[in-house]
Structures are given as structure tokens and as C-alpha cells.
Amino acid sequence: MPYASTRRLYNVFGRKIVRYMAYRKAKKLYNEINHGMSVFESRFLKSRLNHA
């Protein structure tokens, strides 16, 4: 196999790994934000609605 074609295959594989890692990082960040917002809502918004 020529060097150029092997380099291209590794590059495609590397891009897939980078895309997968970026997806995992974004999903983790989304879950953390979602969790933080739900904690905020349960502490502040729901308690204020009951007092109104």
C-alpha cells in the first residue's frame, strides 16, 4: 500500500475519533448544564410559585 493511501486512512480514522470525542464532550457539557438548571428551578422557581 502506498504511503499516501495509508496516511489518508489514518486521517479519516483520526477524524472519526476526534468527532466522537467532541460529541461526548458536548453531551457531557449539556448534561451538566441541564442538571444545573433543574437544580436551580427546583430550589428557586418552584418554592416561589408555592408562596404566591
Side-chain angles (χ1 to χ4, degrees):
M1 208 182 246
Y3 173 72
S5 60
T6 57
R7 197 179 77 200
R8 188 168 56 90
L9 284 175
Y10 284 125
N11 196 18
V12 168
F13 184 66
R15 266 189 284 160
K16 287 186 178 184
I17 290 177
V18 167
R19 193 176 299 151
Y20 174 73
M21 297 300 275
Y23 166 77
R24 279 186 56 190
K25 187 176 180 182
K27 187 177 177 185
K28 183 179 176 187
L29 187 64
Y30 171 79
N31 286 338
E32 288 178 6
I33 291 171
N34 201 17
H35 175 72
M37 287 182 69
S38 65
V39 168
F40 175 79
E41 287 176 351
S42 65
R43 282 189 184 165
F44 296 105
L45 297 180
K46 291 179 184 171
S47 63
R48 297 223 173 132
L49 286 175
N50 290 338
H51 290 296

